[in-house]
Amino acid sequence: MAYSSSTRDFVALSDLHPNLARPNVIGVVIGKTDVRGFPDRKNIGSERYTFSFTIRDSPAFFINVNSWGREEYIRSLSESFRVGDCVTIENPLVQSKEGEKEEKFNPVTPSCYKLLISENHSVVKTSSCYEMDTKLLSLLHLPVKDPQDYYSLGDITANGQSLDGRILNVLAAVMSVGEPKYFITSDKRKGQRCEVKLYDETEMSFPIICWDNESIQLAQSWIPRETVIFASDVRVNFDKFRNCMTATVISKTIITTNPETAEANVLFSFIKESAQLGALHDKMEEQSKESINCKCGSKLSDFIELGNATHMSFKFVVETIVDVYTVKQLKEKALQSDGKPEPVFGIIYGYISMLDIDDNLSKVIRNRCSVCRFVVNEMSNTCTFCGDISPDSKSTFVSFDILVDLTDHTGTLYSCYLSDSVAEDTLGCTVHEFLTLAEEKRTALKWQLLLERSKIYFKVHNRKSAHRSSSTKVLYSFVQITLSPSWRTGLKANILSCKLADPIEASQSLLGKKLHHVAW
């Protein structure tokens, strides 16, 4: 197969082999390293310079390109294009790869070969006028690895030091992009560093470090809280100084910005929901401050109205959910999702079979940020999600964050999240009221809810979770479920509402027919 233009033919990267005479290729640059100098063994006291990049011409094929030569030539060539540009290469040398040795420091490619560029024999040009450009540029949004083969940030954090030094893939959204910092190394070489904070539905702040100029320039183009990246082959390490896991962009890494995959679309939806929630709470926070500062108090009514509107909006969303599931049906739906990570919303008529609220309060009470309402860091008591906001303008508040098991006649959903105001409505008391209860009162409250048939609204994500032992109580819940087999922690269920079920309504739903009377 060959690509054609009005002036020349291009050989497809998949058709390259060492016996081709003066091949011409075209591709979009998906990865690129900085220029480096090495002592020249043939000319003692002088240096040779090199850099490499990776080009792609189809969804399935990409290849590494290496260039060696004089400093002036290499630096000029490197500065002539960036990641995302379309380039043509005339007369590269097609050479067999050196296997594992080469892929230790370079991106893993499907090709058996690599391309070498020399100043005297090859020509590299930035292309902007060929018909193939539009099709090639679309390849920038396709990850070079299986889009389901990645770790969530929460998985990396949970595994901790057991993943120290591992090379893996990450799908995450960009929370913030730091300013590049420049320095001089001990051997008088210039260096740079840029830290980007990532987040997803499992972790609200995770650092990834860029040490090379190319990845730093790419990172500067990302829009915080709008951009999603799929970073293949990043190295994760445990940072002893910060006592947390971090990721580092290395020479093997290829970063796909705003990937067009089903998994990324779920993350885009999460970003949008988080942004809307953040904007709402920003407005509430602003109006709250204005209420305090306003002598006439006119803004206070606006603030209350906004809060009521938020509650009514959530109530409306819950009331639009009509699909009823059993636990068994939910688990089967997860297995039959075919990799589709869309969330599932539904209703379960069941009961709470595990509710540990009378033992360790630290397991059920967490501090949240008053601005974005995300759980804050327990050690520093600071919010990493909205870290760019001045500490003087935000505070924390205590909130329920309870893990419960939901059971019906077909099985059990383990470690479902019952949080914030939903938990207050379910327990029938506020956090502050709950904190004043003696242990025996909390135990009595628990047994008021355990094994009571309930109507539960839910949202579920497919993530592996640790199974707990269960007892035998039923609730009617509304849960949202997201099914994503690539996540490694099973079904994650968020309870959106949990109320005692009407016996006749529950029986009609479960049996699929009208019953004039059912005794529970």
Side-chain angles (χ1 to χ4, degrees):
M1 175 184 176
Y3 299 123
S4 297
S5 74
S6 59
T7 57
R8 59 174 65 84
D9 292 331
F10 296 107
V11 179
L13 298 180
S14 58
D15 295 336
L16 288 171
H17 58 83
N19 296 328
L20 282 178
R22 303 187 65 82
N24 297 321
V25 298
I26 185 171
V28 64
V29 180
I30 60 174
K32 185 167 176 275
T33 68
D34 284 353
V35 172
R36 293 172 296 163
F38 295 91
D40 191 339
R41 296 178 182 177
K42 296 181 179 180
N43 300 297
I44 306 301
S46 62
E47 286 188 324
R48 293 184 69 200
Y49 285 79
T50 182
F51 80 101
S52 61
F53 58 101
T54 305
I55 61 172
R56 189 176 196 175
D57 71 347
S58 68
F61 228 82
F62 46 98
I63 194 170
N64 293 326
V65 185
N66 297 325
S67 181
W68 291 80
R70 299 177 301 108
E71 179 178 7
E72 294 80 6
Y73 166 70
I74 293 299
R75 291 197 181 280
S76 175
L77 179 60
S78 176
E79 292 171 1
S80 67
F81 62 88
R82 297 293 180 195
V83 171
D85 288 341
C86 184
V87 298
T88 62
I89 306 176
E90 300 175 14
N91 196 33
L93 176 64
V94 182
Q95 191 174 73
S96 295
K97 291 196 300 188
E98 298 178 22
E100 294 183 4
K101 178 181 177 181
E102 182 163 332
E103 290 187 344
K104 184 178 181 180
F105 301 104
N106 295 287
V108 178
T109 68
S111 177
C112 298
Y113 308 107
K114 63 181 177 181
L115 301 181
L116 297 181
I117 298 174
S118 67
E119 181 177 4
N120 297 327
H121 301 94
S122 309
V123 177
V124 180
K125 296 179 180 178
T126 301
S127 169
S128 60
C129 59
Y130 296 106
E131 296 178 0
M132 291 300 300
D133 279 5
T134 301
K135 296 179 180 179
L136 288 173
L137 292 177
S138 67
L139 301 175
L140 288 171
H141 303 292
L142 296 180
V144 297
K145 297 291 185 72
D146 182 345
Q148 296 183 7
D149 179 19
Y150 66 91
Y151 277 75
S152 71
L153 302 180
D155 289 337
I156 298 174
T157 300
N159 282 280
Q161 297 188 48
S162 65
L163 291 178
D164 187 46
R166 287 276 300 275
I167 307 295
L168 46 80
N169 309 321
V170 170
L171 174 69
V174 175
M175 169 61 65
S176 63
V177 180
E179 289 293 328
K181 297 179 180 179
Y182 301 94
F183 54 88
I184 303 296
T185 64
S186 58
D187 58 353
K188 304 300 176 63
R189 294 180 181 270
K190 294 181 179 179
Q192 58 279 315
R193 181 185 186 277
C194 177
E195 181 167 310
V196 177
K197 292 293 181 61
L198 304 178
Y199 72 107
D200 62 11
E201 288 190 307
T202 66
E203 187 72 27
M204 297 318 302
S205 182
F206 188 93
I208 183 169
I209 315 299
C210 303
W211 292 98
D212 64 291
N213 187 56
E214 293 296 333
S215 63
I216 290 176
Q217 289 198 31
L218 179 62
Q220 296 302 309
S221 68
W222 297 338
I223 303 175
R225 307 190 190 188
E226 293 185 20
T227 299
V228 169
I229 65 170
F230 187 102
S232 66
D233 290 334
V234 296
R235 185 177 65 240
V236 295
N237 293 102
F238 181 76
D239 188 325
K240 295 181 180 179
F241 179 75
R242 291 193 283 187
N243 194 35
C244 69
M245 296 296 291
T246 65
T248 303
V249 175
I250 58 177
S251 57
K252 287 173 60 68
T253 304
I254 291 182
I255 298 177
T256 304
T257 302
N258 292 333
E260 295 178 352
T261 66
E263 293 76 15
N265 287 339
V266 171
L267 195 50
F268 278 119
S269 297
F270 171 70
I271 292 176
K272 184 177 180 180
E273 292 172 2
S274 299
Q276 291 172 345
L277 179 64
L280 175 63
H281 285 287
D282 285 345
K283 186 174 182 180
M284 293 176 69
E285 182 78 7
E286 179 183 352
Q287 292 194 2
S288 176
K289 291 177 181 177
E290 290 177 354
S291 302
I292 295 173
N293 296 329
C294 181
K295 294 181 180 180
C296 64
S298 61
K299 289 294 182 179
L300 181 59
S301 60
D302 295 338
F303 176 69
I304 296 174
E305 182 179 349
L306 180 61
N308 291 336
T310 305
H311 176 75
M312 292 178 64
S313 176
F314 177 76
K315 182 179 179 182
F316 173 76
V317 171
V318 170
E319 291 178 347
T320 62
I321 298 171
V322 295
D323 293 332
V324 178
Y325 296 87
T326 65
V327 170
K328 181 180 179 182
Q329 288 172 336
L330 277 176
K331 293 179 178 179
E332 290 174 347
K333 191 174 183 68
L335 294 175
Q336 298 169 1
S337 61
D338 295 328
K340 297 177 182 178
E342 289 83 2
V344 174
F345 293 85
I347 298 169
I348 286 178
Y349 290 92
Y351 52 86
I352 292 177
S353 55
M354 193 283 295
L355 180 63
D356 187 10
I357 61 173
D358 55 347
D359 184 14
N360 189 344
L361 289 180
S362 64
K363 294 181 179 180
V364 297
I365 305 294
R366 302 287 296 276
N367 286 333
R368 292 180 181 269
C369 175
S370 60
V371 177
C372 66
R373 299 184 74 85
F374 283 102
V375 175
V376 303
N377 184 284
E378 293 291 337
M379 299 294 292
S380 62
N381 199 38
T382 58
C383 178
T384 54
F385 184 81
C386 52
D388 54 335
I389 300 177
S390 171
D392 297 333
S393 64
K394 59 184 178 181
S395 59
T396 61
F397 65 96
V398 291
S399 172
F400 284 117
D401 193 29
I402 309 170
L403 289 178
V404 304
D405 292 347
L406 299 181
T407 300
D408 68 2
H409 62 290
T410 67
T412 298
L413 281 177
Y414 297 94
S415 300
C416 304
Y417 288 85
L418 180 64
S419 306
D420 209 2
S421 59
V422 177
E424 291 187 346
D425 291 341
T426 302
L427 297 177
C429 64
T430 66
V431 177
H432 295 287
E433 291 170 343
F434 180 81
L435 290 173
T436 63
L437 297 178
E439 183 176 345
E440 58 271 18
K441 295 285 188 180
R442 296 197 299 268
T443 300
L445 176 60
K446 176 177 75 172
W447 285 104
Q448 288 178 12
L449 298 170
L450 280 174
L451 304 179
E452 293 294 331
R453 185 66 62 91
S454 301
K455 183 179 183 181
I456 305 164
Y457 290 85
F458 63 83
K459 169 186 177 181
V460 176
H461 300 268
N462 189 357
R463 302 175 55 197
K464 296 178 184 176
S465 60
H467 283 205
R468 300 175 175 226
S469 59
S470 62
S471 62
T472 54
K473 290 208 171 178
V474 184
L475 292 174
Y476 168 42
S477 304
F478 167 62
V479 182
Q480 174 189 348
I481 300 179
T482 302
L483 308 174
S484 177
S486 63
W487 293 4
R488 294 168 169 79
T489 47
L491 285 177
K492 172 192 173 185
N494 291 90
I495 297 174
L496 307 180
S497 175
C498 181
K499 304 291 184 183
L500 291 179
D502 176 83
I504 296 179
E505 176 189 353
S507 298
Q508 289 175 345
S509 176
L510 291 172
L511 298 179
K513 59 181 179 180
K514 279 194 173 184
L515 298 179
H516 296 293
H517 176 74
V518 177
W520 287 45

